[in-house]
Amino acid sequence: MTATESLPSPSAADADEVMTVTAARALADGTSCFVGIGLPSTAANLARRTHAPDLWMVYESGTLGASPATLPLSIGDGELAETADSVVPVTEVFNYWLQAGRIDTGFLGAAQIDRFGNINTTAIGDYDAPAVRLPGAGGAPEIAASCGRVIVIVRQTPRTFVERVDFTTSVGHGSGPGDRERLGLRGAGPVRVITDLGVLEPDPRTRELVLTSVHPGVTAERAREATGWDLALAPDLATTPAPEPHELAVLRSLTGRG
């Protein structure tokens, strides 16, 4: 019996847990992942403890191959440095690893995201006189530009899922087909947006986000009501597989709910 199999079976998952488990499953074993703090970090650490033990996690602070025993509070958390394969200057993380295309997956959150997967983490409202000043870009623009692919994890509301972001901090698919290529962006951009209601993916032709899966108990209409544009549905709309008991148990041990 493995460590995870010996854990007790937890109760039913809530919406955030379904979202986090779904995001964790999107990360393949043996790949590299540039991890953002918050929900992306929780999902990546869950993946490493379940199906992807050889997931190689990189944090913006310069920690390569970090394997924290607890969830880091920030990119400067000492736990990341203590458990990393190597700690390098931030400039090396970006110049040698990220911008050179050596990272498979970028894992990001968002304050706003629009129909083409562009992300805003800078300001809500007018930039010069915003209603809310957000934390800013950090390394997100480079992650969105240069990782092989980008996965976004964010709660779905009309305030977050908007027709057009108030400020483009990180380019997704711009205004549609060909924009990433025109801007010289290396990576494929957002390939999946995972929310507390379902999963969205870019249409291969238009690059507009389309609902491809709803989580258990969620209707397509509810997901559309939580979106600030006329959200299209995939013709083969699926239902997300529910979290397995061992996934929930590991997640709750990470977040202190176990």
Side-chain angles (χ1 to χ4, degrees):
M1 179 179 290
T2 67
T4 54
E5 288 172 335
S6 65
L7 292 167
S9 297
S11 58
D14 63 26
D16 275 4
E17 289 173 330
V18 175
M19 171 174 60
T20 305
V21 169
T22 303
R25 290 171 175 170
L27 298 173
D29 195 20
T31 61
S32 55
C33 180
F34 205 112
V35 187
I37 290 296
L39 290 171
S41 181
T42 303
N45 278 278
L46 173 61
R48 196 177 61 80
R49 286 165 169 77
T50 51
H51 68 279
D54 292 322
L55 180 69
W56 199 65
M57 299 193 302
V58 176
Y59 286 82
E60 187 179 335
S61 53
T63 54
L64 308 178
S67 53
T70 58
L71 290 178
L73 298 176
S74 72
I75 60 171
D77 196 317
E79 177 74 7
L80 295 176
E82 291 173 5
T83 62
D85 295 333
S86 179
V87 180
V88 301
V90 173
T91 51
E92 183 175 325
V93 170
F94 284 90
N95 292 341
Y96 181 80
W97 291 99
L98 185 55
Q99 293 170 347
R102 291 184 167 92
I103 304 295
D104 298 314
T105 302
F107 217 163
L108 294 173
Q112 281 186 334
I113 187 168
D114 67 23
R115 65 194 305 158
F116 291 109
N118 303 299
I119 291 173
N120 176 18
T121 55
T122 301
I124 303 297
D126 182 78
Y127 178 82
D128 294 321
V132 179
R133 180 71 70 185
L134 299 168
E142 288 81 4
I143 294 169
S146 299
C147 286
R149 63 178 192 149
V150 172
I151 297 171
V152 182
I153 179 169
V154 60
R155 296 180 184 90
Q156 191 167 351
T157 72
R159 293 177 61 185
T160 302
F161 280 67
V162 295
E163 177 82 21
R164 192 69 180 179
V165 289
D166 294 339
F167 183 94
T168 303
T169 308
S170 306
V171 177
H173 296 288
S175 297
D179 266 15
R180 289 188 65 85
E181 293 78 6
R182 178 178 60 81
L183 294 169
L185 304 183
R186 175 190 296 274
V191 298
R192 196 169 299 171
V193 178
I194 299 168
T195 83
D196 53 341
L197 301 179
V199 178
L200 296 82
E201 299 178 49
D203 179 272
R205 182 178 59 84
T206 66
R207 312 313 297 166
E208 181 176 325
L209 293 175
V210 173
L211 186 69
T212 58
S213 174
V214 289
H215 297 330
V218 177
T219 63
E221 187 56 35
R222 181 180 168 196
R224 297 191 75 192
E225 289 172 355
T227 306
W229 70 85
D230 187 15
L231 179 62
L233 308 181
D236 54 348
L237 182 66
T239 298
T240 309
E244 297 291 339
H246 77 280
E247 292 173 312
L248 276 182
V250 175
L251 174 58
R252 289 173 181 175
S253 71
L254 269 175
T255 58
R257 292 186 57 187

